[in-house]
Amino acid sequence: MDDPLVCVVDDDDAVRLSMSLLIETLGLPVQSFSSALEVLSDEEVLRQAHCLVLDVRMPGLSGVGLQERLGRLGHTLPIIFVSAHGDVPMVARAMREGAFDFLQKPFNEQALLDRVQEAVQFAAAQRAARARLAEIQARIDSLTARESEVMAGMVAGRLNKQIAEDLGISIKTVEQHRARVMEKLQVDSLAELVRLVVGMGGAEASKNG
């Protein structure tokens, strides 16, 4: 697994250095950038980053602009804004776009460290959940069309006899398909299968909502 990289983005060299050194005391790797566009151009960094610590006002693309751009690209990593210029509409906009937090300069160093730690843990949990969903989806995708039809009947609470009648196949064939469904999805009971499939449906709904 990649180390949980933290990115510091600030156009002020002194601020960028001091924040990077502070965050490194957590034992986390830190990479710093002087502009938002630098971050956007580095796909490897965006893939590995677990948290962004962003200044709001920077030449070119602003911190909030970077946040919106990342959102459109599908990057959901936690963002902590640090700014001396945070007014109420700016804070509201950043939080509405999903910012993890918004700290005013001068900030309490321990408060920043605590929030960075929480953001990294949050991102790690998100990544683990996405990996789990991808693994389950791969198992579901491995089912044949007929196995998928039988699985749908199982999840709907249909008996073998009813599934056989619905699909125009024998009960023995349904039983064979059921066994392969359980094997491919790596579940030991119908209840576990239902939880798995229903959970995937809920995950898709929340992702698309």
Side-chain angles (χ1 to χ4, degrees):
M1 180 179 292
D2 293 324
D3 289 330
L5 179 68
V6 177
C7 296
V8 173
V9 189
D10 197 303
D11 62 304
D12 186 309
D13 294 344
V15 171
R16 191 169 66 250
L17 176 61
S18 64
M19 281 202 295
S20 297
L21 292 174
L22 175 64
I23 294 169
E24 284 177 351
T25 64
L26 292 172
L28 297 170
V30 179
Q31 190 158 342
S32 63
F33 300 86
S34 60
S35 74
L37 291 176
E38 275 188 65
V39 182
L40 278 175
S41 65
D42 197 326
E43 280 296 324
E44 179 62 22
V45 161
L46 290 176
R47 186 188 65 78
Q48 194 177 347
H50 280 51
C51 173
L52 290 185
V53 179
L54 289 184
D55 189 17
V56 173
R57 295 185 178 176
M58 294 181 287
L61 187 64
S62 69
V64 176
L66 173 60
Q67 178 191 29
E68 293 171 345
R69 192 83 64 87
L70 289 173
R72 289 198 296 271
L73 293 172
H75 293 289
T76 58
L77 63 160
I79 295 175
I80 299 171
F81 284 103
V82 181
S83 176
H85 308 288
D87 54 25
V88 172
M90 185 186 297
V91 173
R93 178 183 172 191
M95 300 306 288
R96 188 169 58 248
E97 291 290 330
F100 196 78
D101 208 342
F102 199 117
L103 303 179
Q104 289 282 128
K105 295 177 182 176
F107 55 83
N108 178 282
E109 291 187 351
Q110 190 57 52
L112 175 62
L113 291 176
D114 289 345
R115 293 306 278 157
V116 167
Q117 189 97 15
E118 290 165 10
V120 166
Q121 292 170 352
F122 177 79
Q126 277 193 321
R127 286 168 177 245
R130 284 197 295 268
R132 168 70 175 162
L133 290 175
E135 178 191 346
I136 295 171
Q137 188 60 57
R139 294 184 210 164
I140 292 174
D141 292 343
S142 74
L143 299 176
T144 65
R146 182 63 85 192
E147 288 165 356
S148 294
E149 292 173 334
V150 171
M151 182 186 72
M154 295 166 67
V155 172
R158 307 283 283 170
L159 301 174
N160 285 355
K161 180 180 178 181
Q162 294 171 316
I163 296 173
E165 292 172 354
D166 292 341
L167 301 179
I169 57 179
S170 69
I171 294 177
K172 183 175 181 179
T173 301
V174 171
E175 291 172 347
Q176 291 171 342
H177 286 312
R178 282 182 71 116
R180 283 197 289 272
V181 167
M182 302 288 279
E183 180 183 355
K184 287 184 176 182
L185 295 191
Q186 301 175 27
V187 293
D188 298 318
S189 67
L190 178 59
E192 190 178 352
L193 172 68
V194 171
R195 283 197 300 271
L196 197 72
V197 175
V198 170
M200 284 296 292
E204 281 299 314
S206 64
K207 185 170 69 175
N208 297 327

Short mmCIF file of all heavy atoms in Angstrom, two decimals, residues 116-161:
data_model
loop_
_atom_site.label_atom_id
_atom_site.label_comp_id
_atom_site.label_asym_id
_atom_site.label_seq_id
_atom_site.Cartn_x
_atom_site.Cartn_y
_atom_site.Cartn_z
N VAL A 116 -5.18 17.03 10.12
CA VAL A 116 -4.47 16.30 9.07
C VAL A 116 -4.52 14.79 9.36
O VAL A 116 -4.80 13.99 8.48
CB VAL A 116 -3.02 16.78 8.93
CG1 VAL A 116 -2.21 15.82 8.08
CG2 VAL A 116 -2.98 18.19 8.34
N GLN A 117 -4.26 14.45 10.62
CA GLN A 117 -4.30 13.03 11.01
C GLN A 117 -5.68 12.44 10.75
O GLN A 117 -5.83 11.33 10.22
CB GLN A 117 -3.95 12.90 12.49
CG GLN A 117 -3.75 11.47 12.96
CD GLN A 117 -2.28 11.09 13.00
OE1 GLN A 117 -1.41 11.94 12.95
NE2 GLN A 117 -2.00 9.82 13.06
N GLU A 118 -6.73 13.17 11.12
CA GLU A 118 -8.10 12.70 10.92
C GLU A 118 -8.42 12.58 9.44
O GLU A 118 -9.09 11.63 9.00
CB GLU A 118 -9.08 13.66 11.60
CG GLU A 118 -9.02 13.61 13.12
CD GLU A 118 -9.73 14.80 13.77
OE1 GLU A 118 -10.42 15.55 13.05
OE2 GLU A 118 -9.60 14.97 15.00
N ALA A 119 -7.95 13.54 8.66
CA ALA A 119 -8.21 13.52 7.22
C ALA A 119 -7.54 12.32 6.56
O ALA A 119 -8.13 11.65 5.70
CB ALA A 119 -7.71 14.82 6.57
N VAL A 120 -6.31 12.03 6.96
CA VAL A 120 -5.58 10.89 6.39
C VAL A 120 -6.29 9.58 6.75
O VAL A 120 -6.44 8.69 5.90
CB VAL A 120 -4.13 10.89 6.90
CG1 VAL A 120 -3.45 9.56 6.62
CG2 VAL A 120 -3.35 12.03 6.25
N GLN A 121 -6.74 9.47 7.99
CA GLN A 121 -7.46 8.26 8.42
C GLN A 121 -8.77 8.12 7.65
O GLN A 121 -9.16 7.01 7.25
CB GLN A 121 -7.71 8.30 9.93
CG GLN A 121 -6.43 8.16 10.75
CD GLN A 121 -6.66 8.45 12.23
OE1 GLN A 121 -7.72 8.90 12.64
NE2 GLN A 121 -5.63 8.20 13.03
N PHE A 122 -9.46 9.23 7.45
CA PHE A 122 -10.72 9.23 6.70
C PHE A 122 -10.48 8.79 5.27
O PHE A 122 -11.23 7.95 4.72
CB PHE A 122 -11.32 10.64 6.73
CG PHE A 122 -12.59 10.78 5.93
CD1 PHE A 122 -13.79 10.34 6.44
CD2 PHE A 122 -12.56 11.36 4.67
CE1 PHE A 122 -14.97 10.47 5.70
CE2 PHE A 122 -13.73 11.49 3.92
CZ PHE A 122 -14.93 11.05 4.45
N ALA A 123 -9.43 9.32 4.64
CA ALA A 123 -9.12 8.96 3.25
C ALA A 123 -8.75 7.49 3.14
O ALA A 123 -9.15 6.81 2.19
CB ALA A 123 -7.98 9.83 2.72
N ALA A 124 -7.99 6.98 4.12
CA ALA A 124 -7.60 5.57 4.11
C ALA A 124 -8.83 4.67 4.21
O ALA A 124 -8.93 3.64 3.52
CB ALA A 124 -6.63 5.28 5.24
N ALA A 125 -9.78 5.06 5.06
CA ALA A 125 -11.01 4.27 5.21
C ALA A 125 -11.82 4.30 3.91
O ALA A 125 -12.38 3.28 3.49
CB ALA A 125 -11.84 4.81 6.37
N GLN A 126 -11.88 5.46 3.26
CA GLN A 126 -12.58 5.57 1.99
C GLN A 126 -11.96 4.67 0.93
O GLN A 126 -12.67 3.99 0.18
CB GLN A 126 -12.56 7.02 1.50
CG GLN A 126 -13.62 7.92 2.09
CD GLN A 126 -13.70 9.22 1.32
OE1 GLN A 126 -12.70 9.79 0.89
NE2 GLN A 126 -14.91 9.72 1.12
N ARG A 127 -10.65 4.68 0.87
CA ARG A 127 -9.95 3.87 -0.13
C ARG A 127 -10.18 2.38 0.13
O ARG A 127 -10.36 1.60 -0.81
CB ARG A 127 -8.45 4.18 -0.10
CG ARG A 127 -8.11 5.53 -0.73
CD ARG A 127 -6.67 5.94 -0.44
NE ARG A 127 -6.35 7.19 -1.10
CZ ARG A 127 -5.46 7.32 -2.07
NH1 ARG A 127 -4.78 6.28 -2.49
NH2 ARG A 127 -5.23 8.49 -2.62
N ALA A 128 -10.16 1.99 1.40
CA ALA A 128 -10.40 0.58 1.74
C ALA A 128 -11.81 0.16 1.34
O ALA A 128 -12.03 -0.94 0.82
CB ALA A 128 -10.16 0.35 3.23
N ALA A 129 -12.78 1.06 1.58
CA ALA A 129 -14.16 0.75 1.22
C ALA A 129 -14.32 0.62 -0.29
O ALA A 129 -15.02 -0.28 -0.78
CB ALA A 129 -15.09 1.83 1.76
N ARG A 130 -13.66 1.52 -1.04
CA ARG A 130 -13.75 1.45 -2.50
C ARG A 130 -13.10 0.17 -3.03
O ARG A 130 -13.61 -0.45 -3.97
CB ARG A 130 -13.08 2.68 -3.13
CG ARG A 130 -13.91 3.94 -3.02
CD ARG A 130 -13.42 5.01 -3.99
NE ARG A 130 -12.08 5.45 -3.68
CZ ARG A 130 -11.79 6.49 -2.90
NH1 ARG A 130 -12.75 7.17 -2.32
NH2 ARG A 130 -10.53 6.85 -2.68
N ALA A 131 -11.98 -0.22 -2.42
CA ALA A 131 -11.31 -1.45 -2.84
C ALA A 131 -12.20 -2.66 -2.57
O ALA A 131 -12.27 -3.59 -3.38
CB ALA A 131 -9.98 -1.59 -2.12
N ARG A 132 -12.87 -2.66 -1.43
CA ARG A 132 -13.78 -3.74 -1.07
C ARG A 132 -14.93 -3.82 -2.07
O ARG A 132 -15.29 -4.90 -2.55
CB ARG A 132 -14.31 -3.50 0.34
CG ARG A 132 -15.49 -4.38 0.77
CD ARG A 132 -15.10 -5.80 0.98
NE ARG A 132 -16.21 -6.58 1.50
CZ ARG A 132 -16.28 -7.90 1.46
NH1 ARG A 132 -15.30 -8.60 0.91
NH2 ARG A 132 -17.30 -8.54 1.98
N LEU A 133 -15.52 -2.68 -2.42
CA LEU A 133 -16.62 -2.65 -3.38
C LEU A 133 -16.16 -3.14 -4.76
O LEU A 133 -16.88 -3.86 -5.44
CB LEU A 133 -17.20 -1.24 -3.49
CG LEU A 133 -17.99 -0.74 -2.27
CD1 LEU A 133 -18.40 0.71 -2.47
CD2 LEU A 133 -19.22 -1.61 -2.01
N ALA A 134 -14.96 -2.73 -5.15
CA ALA A 134 -14.44 -3.16 -6.45
C ALA A 134 -14.23 -4.67 -6.47
O ALA A 134 -14.50 -5.33 -7.48
CB ALA A 134 -13.12 -2.44 -6.75
N GLU A 135 -13.77 -5.22 -5.35
CA GLU A 135 -13.56 -6.66 -5.26
C GLU A 135 -14.89 -7.41 -5.37
O GLU A 135 -15.00 -8.40 -6.10
CB GLU A 135 -12.89 -7.00 -3.92
CG GLU A 135 -12.67 -8.48 -3.70
CD GLU A 135 -12.25 -8.79 -2.27
OE1 GLU A 135 -11.89 -7.86 -1.53
OE2 GLU A 135 -12.32 -9.98 -1.91
N ILE A 136 -15.90 -6.92 -4.67
CA ILE A 136 -17.23 -7.56 -4.73
C ILE A 136 -17.82 -7.44 -6.13
O ILE A 136 -18.39 -8.40 -6.66
CB ILE A 136 -18.17 -6.93 -3.69
CG1 ILE A 136 -17.67 -7.22 -2.28
CG2 ILE A 136 -19.60 -7.45 -3.87
CD1 ILE A 136 -18.40 -6.45 -1.19
N GLN A 137 -17.65 -6.25 -6.75
CA GLN A 137 -18.19 -6.06 -8.10
C GLN A 137 -17.52 -7.01 -9.08
O GLN A 137 -18.17 -7.54 -10.00
CB GLN A 137 -17.98 -4.61 -8.56
CG GLN A 137 -18.69 -4.27 -9.87
CD GLN A 137 -20.19 -4.47 -9.78
OE1 GLN A 137 -20.84 -3.88 -8.93
NE2 GLN A 137 -20.74 -5.31 -10.65
N ALA A 138 -16.23 -7.26 -8.90
CA ALA A 138 -15.52 -8.20 -9.78
C ALA A 138 -16.09 -9.60 -9.64
O ALA A 138 -16.22 -10.33 -10.63
CB ALA A 138 -14.03 -8.19 -9.45
N ARG A 139 -16.44 -9.98 -8.42
CA ARG A 139 -17.07 -11.29 -8.22
C ARG A 139 -18.42 -11.36 -8.91
O ARG A 139 -18.75 -12.35 -9.58
CB ARG A 139 -17.26 -11.57 -6.73
CG ARG A 139 -16.00 -11.71 -5.92
CD ARG A 139 -16.37 -12.07 -4.50
NE ARG A 139 -15.38 -11.57 -3.53
CZ ARG A 139 -15.61 -11.48 -2.22
NH1 ARG A 139 -16.79 -11.84 -1.74
NH2 ARG A 139 -14.69 -11.04 -1.41
N ILE A 140 -19.21 -10.31 -8.77
CA ILE A 140 -20.54 -10.28 -9.40
C ILE A 140 -20.40 -10.33 -10.92
O ILE A 140 -21.14 -11.01 -11.62
CB ILE A 140 -21.33 -9.03 -8.96
CG1 ILE A 140 -21.68 -9.14 -7.48
CG2 ILE A 140 -22.59 -8.84 -9.80
CD1 ILE A 140 -22.34 -7.91 -6.89
N ASP A 141 -19.41 -9.60 -11.44
CA ASP A 141 -19.19 -9.56 -12.89
C ASP A 141 -18.74 -10.92 -13.43
O ASP A 141 -18.84 -11.17 -14.64
CB ASP A 141 -18.14 -8.50 -13.25
CG ASP A 141 -18.65 -7.08 -13.01
OD1 ASP A 141 -19.87 -6.90 -12.88
OD2 ASP A 141 -17.80 -6.17 -12.94
N SER A 142 -18.23 -11.79 -12.55
CA SER A 142 -17.77 -13.11 -13.00
C SER A 142 -18.93 -14.09 -13.22
O SER A 142 -18.74 -15.16 -13.79
CB SER A 142 -16.78 -13.69 -11.98
OG SER A 142 -17.46 -14.14 -10.81
N LEU A 143 -20.13 -13.71 -12.78
CA LEU A 143 -21.29 -14.58 -12.96
C LEU A 143 -21.72 -14.60 -14.42
O LEU A 143 -21.64 -13.59 -15.12
CB LEU A 143 -22.47 -14.09 -12.10
CG LEU A 143 -22.29 -14.05 -10.59
CD1 LEU A 143 -23.52 -13.44 -9.94
CD2 LEU A 143 -21.99 -15.42 -10.03
N THR A 144 -22.20 -15.76 -14.87
CA THR A 144 -22.79 -15.83 -16.20
C THR A 144 -24.15 -15.15 -16.17
O THR A 144 -24.69 -14.85 -15.09
CB THR A 144 -22.96 -17.29 -16.65
OG1 THR A 144 -23.92 -17.92 -15.77
CG2 THR A 144 -21.63 -18.05 -16.59
N ALA A 145 -24.72 -14.93 -17.35
CA ALA A 145 -26.04 -14.30 -17.42
C ALA A 145 -27.08 -15.12 -16.66
O ALA A 145 -27.92 -14.58 -15.92
CB ALA A 145 -26.45 -14.13 -18.88
N ARG A 146 -27.04 -16.45 -16.81
CA ARG A 146 -28.01 -17.30 -16.13
C ARG A 146 -27.79 -17.28 -14.62
O ARG A 146 -28.75 -17.25 -13.84
CB ARG A 146 -27.91 -18.74 -16.66
CG ARG A 146 -28.92 -19.70 -16.04
CD ARG A 146 -30.35 -19.29 -16.35
NE ARG A 146 -30.78 -19.81 -17.65
CZ ARG A 146 -31.89 -19.43 -18.27
NH1 ARG A 146 -32.66 -18.48 -17.74
NH2 ARG A 146 -32.22 -19.95 -19.43
N GLU A 147 -26.53 -17.31 -14.20
CA GLU A 147 -26.24 -17.24 -12.77
C GLU A 147 -26.73 -15.93 -12.17
O GLU A 147 -27.24 -15.90 -11.05
CB GLU A 147 -24.73 -17.41 -12.53
CG GLU A 147 -24.23 -18.83 -12.76
CD GLU A 147 -22.72 -18.93 -12.89
OE1 GLU A 147 -22.05 -17.88 -12.86
OE2 GLU A 147 -22.22 -20.06 -13.01
N SER A 148 -26.62 -14.86 -12.93
CA SER A 148 -27.12 -13.56 -12.46
C SER A 148 -28.63 -13.59 -12.29
O SER A 148 -29.17 -13.02 -11.34
CB SER A 148 -26.73 -12.45 -13.44
OG SER A 148 -25.32 -12.28 -13.47
N GLU A 149 -29.32 -14.24 -13.22
CA GLU A 149 -30.79 -14.36 -13.13
C GLU A 149 -31.19 -15.18 -11.90
O GLU A 149 -32.13 -14.82 -11.18
CB GLU A 149 -31.34 -15.01 -14.39
CG GLU A 149 -31.22 -14.13 -15.63
CD GLU A 149 -31.61 -14.86 -16.90
OE1 GLU A 149 -31.51 -16.11 -16.95
OE2 GLU A 149 -32.03 -14.18 -17.86
N VAL A 150 -30.47 -16.27 -11.67
CA VAL A 150 -30.76 -17.09 -10.48
C VAL A 150 -30.46 -16.29 -9.22
O VAL A 150 -31.23 -16.33 -8.25
CB VAL A 150 -29.95 -18.40 -10.53
CG1 VAL A 150 -30.05 -19.14 -9.21
CG2 VAL A 150 -30.42 -19.28 -11.68
N MET A 151 -29.36 -15.56 -9.20
CA MET A 151 -29.02 -14.75 -8.03
C MET A 151 -30.12 -13.73 -7.74
O MET A 151 -30.49 -13.51 -6.58
CB MET A 151 -27.69 -14.03 -8.24
CG MET A 151 -27.26 -13.21 -7.04
SD MET A 151 -25.76 -12.21 -7.34
CE MET A 151 -26.43 -10.94 -8.44
N ALA A 152 -30.64 -13.11 -8.79
CA ALA A 152 -31.72 -12.12 -8.61
C ALA A 152 -32.92 -12.78 -7.95
O ALA A 152 -33.57 -12.19 -7.06
CB ALA A 152 -32.11 -11.51 -9.95
N GLY A 153 -33.24 -14.00 -8.36
CA GLY A 153 -34.35 -14.72 -7.74
C GLY A 153 -34.07 -15.05 -6.29
O GLY A 153 -34.95 -14.92 -5.42
N MET A 154 -32.84 -15.44 -6.00
CA MET A 154 -32.45 -15.75 -4.62
C MET A 154 -32.58 -14.52 -3.73
O MET A 154 -33.14 -14.58 -2.63
CB MET A 154 -31.00 -16.26 -4.60
CG MET A 154 -30.79 -17.58 -5.30
SD MET A 154 -29.01 -17.94 -5.59
CE MET A 154 -28.42 -18.16 -3.90
N VAL A 155 -32.08 -13.38 -4.21
CA VAL A 155 -32.12 -12.15 -3.43
C VAL A 155 -33.56 -11.70 -3.21
O VAL A 155 -33.90 -11.12 -2.17
CB VAL A 155 -31.29 -11.05 -4.12
CG1 VAL A 155 -31.47 -9.71 -3.42
CG2 VAL A 155 -29.81 -11.43 -4.14
N ALA A 156 -34.42 -11.98 -4.19
CA ALA A 156 -35.83 -11.61 -4.08
C ALA A 156 -36.62 -12.56 -3.18
O ALA A 156 -37.82 -12.34 -2.95
CB ALA A 156 -36.47 -11.57 -5.47
N GLY A 157 -35.96 -13.60 -2.68
CA GLY A 157 -36.63 -14.53 -1.79
C GLY A 157 -37.43 -15.61 -2.50
O GLY A 157 -38.27 -16.28 -1.88
N ARG A 158 -37.16 -15.81 -3.77
CA ARG A 158 -37.87 -16.83 -4.53
C ARG A 158 -37.34 -18.23 -4.19
O ARG A 158 -36.15 -18.42 -4.00
CB ARG A 158 -37.73 -16.60 -6.03
CG ARG A 158 -38.11 -15.21 -6.50
CD ARG A 158 -39.59 -15.03 -6.57
NE ARG A 158 -40.14 -15.68 -7.76
CZ ARG A 158 -41.46 -15.83 -7.97
NH1 ARG A 158 -42.32 -15.40 -7.06
NH2 ARG A 158 -41.89 -16.40 -9.08
N LEU A 159 -38.24 -19.21 -4.12
CA LEU A 159 -37.84 -20.59 -3.90
C LEU A 159 -37.26 -21.17 -5.18
O LEU A 159 -37.50 -20.65 -6.28
CB LEU A 159 -39.05 -21.42 -3.46
CG LEU A 159 -39.76 -20.96 -2.17
CD1 LEU A 159 -41.02 -21.81 -1.95
CD2 LEU A 159 -38.82 -21.06 -0.98
N ASN A 160 -36.50 -22.26 -5.03
CA ASN A 160 -35.92 -22.91 -6.22
C ASN A 160 -36.97 -23.23 -7.26
O ASN A 160 -36.77 -23.02 -8.46
CB ASN A 160 -35.18 -24.19 -5.82
CG ASN A 160 -33.84 -23.89 -5.15
OD1 ASN A 160 -33.43 -22.74 -5.05
ND2 ASN A 160 -33.18 -24.93 -4.68
N LYS A 161 -38.12 -23.75 -6.81
CA LYS A 161 -39.20 -24.12 -7.72
C LYS A 161 -39.71 -22.89 -8.48
O LYS A 161 -39.96 -22.95 -9.69
CB LYS A 161 -40.35 -24.77 -6.95
CG LYS A 161 -41.52 -25.19 -7.80
CD LYS A 161 -42.62 -25.83 -6.97
CE LYS A 161 -43.81 -26.20 -7.84
NZ LYS A 161 -44.91 -26.79 -7.04
#
